[in-house]
Amino acid sequence: MLTEIDHVAIAVRDLDAAVTWYRNALGAEVEHRETVESDGVEEALLAVAESYVQLISPTRDDSPVAKFLDKRGEGLHHVGYRVPDCAAALEAMVQAGATPIDEVPRPGSRNTTIAFIHPKGSFGTLIELVEE
Ligand code: CO
């Protein structure tokens, strides 16, 4: 079902500062930057081989990422797994007992199709299924 780790998402308060730090400390360059207004998030994707580190920061105070930062602080936010068929993967996970956040797949950044699985019941980690 899983073809690759699509991205590891890290919540940060200052996206530009995080991008600069990742460039200086790890030599990682931004390959894509996008604001997803519906999620209240701005993201910067740094390429690591066939995967990405996705730095995310909130665009407004009431976005889920803003709430995450208030509650948990900066750090690991979710893991995105690349799948060939998001709807099929979501259904398989629900069949296996996972709790979906998205009942049906929806558009993500980079023209992907995505669905989130709740961390409760997934050993504490928010999971995103990503179909390119
Ligand atoms: Co993501």
Side-chain angles (χ1 to χ4, degrees), residues 5 10 22 31 34 58 69 73 75 90 101 105 110 116 121 132:
I5 291 183
I10 297 161
Y22 269 79
E31 190 168 299
E34 183 171 340
L69 285 168
L90 177 61
I101 292 173
R110 292 176 287 143
F116 279 96
E132 290 189 305

Side-chain angles (χ1 to χ4, degrees), residues 18-117:
V19 163
T20 299
W21 188 88
Y22 269 79
R23 180 183 299 121
N24 292 341
L26 288 164
E29 294 292 342
V30 174
E31 190 168 299
H32 181 81
R33 197 155 165 162
E34 183 171 340
T35 298
V36 183
E37 249 340 303
S38 55
D39 287 337
V41 68
E42 183 178 6
E43 69 173 44
L45 283 173
L46 316 177
V48 181
E50 300 299 314
S51 303
Y52 300 99
V53 170
Q54 181 190 58
L55 303 172
I56 54 176
S57 64
T59 58
R60 53 175 193 264
D61 290 343
D62 63 343
S63 81
V65 176
K67 287 173 186 159
F68 177 93
L69 285 168
D70 284 346
K71 209 163 112 186
R72 310 261 302 260
E74 294 179 304
L76 183 64
H77 185 267
H78 66 269
V79 177
Y81 293 103
R82 203 171 295 157
V83 295
D85 183 333
C86 188
L90 177 61
E91 189 180 331
M93 285 198 73
V94 171
Q95 288 288 326
T99 304
I101 292 173
D102 298 300
E103 299 286 343
V104 292
R106 61 184 175 90
S109 65
R110 292 176 287 143
N111 294 315
T112 56
T113 301
I114 62 159
F116 279 96
I117 304 293

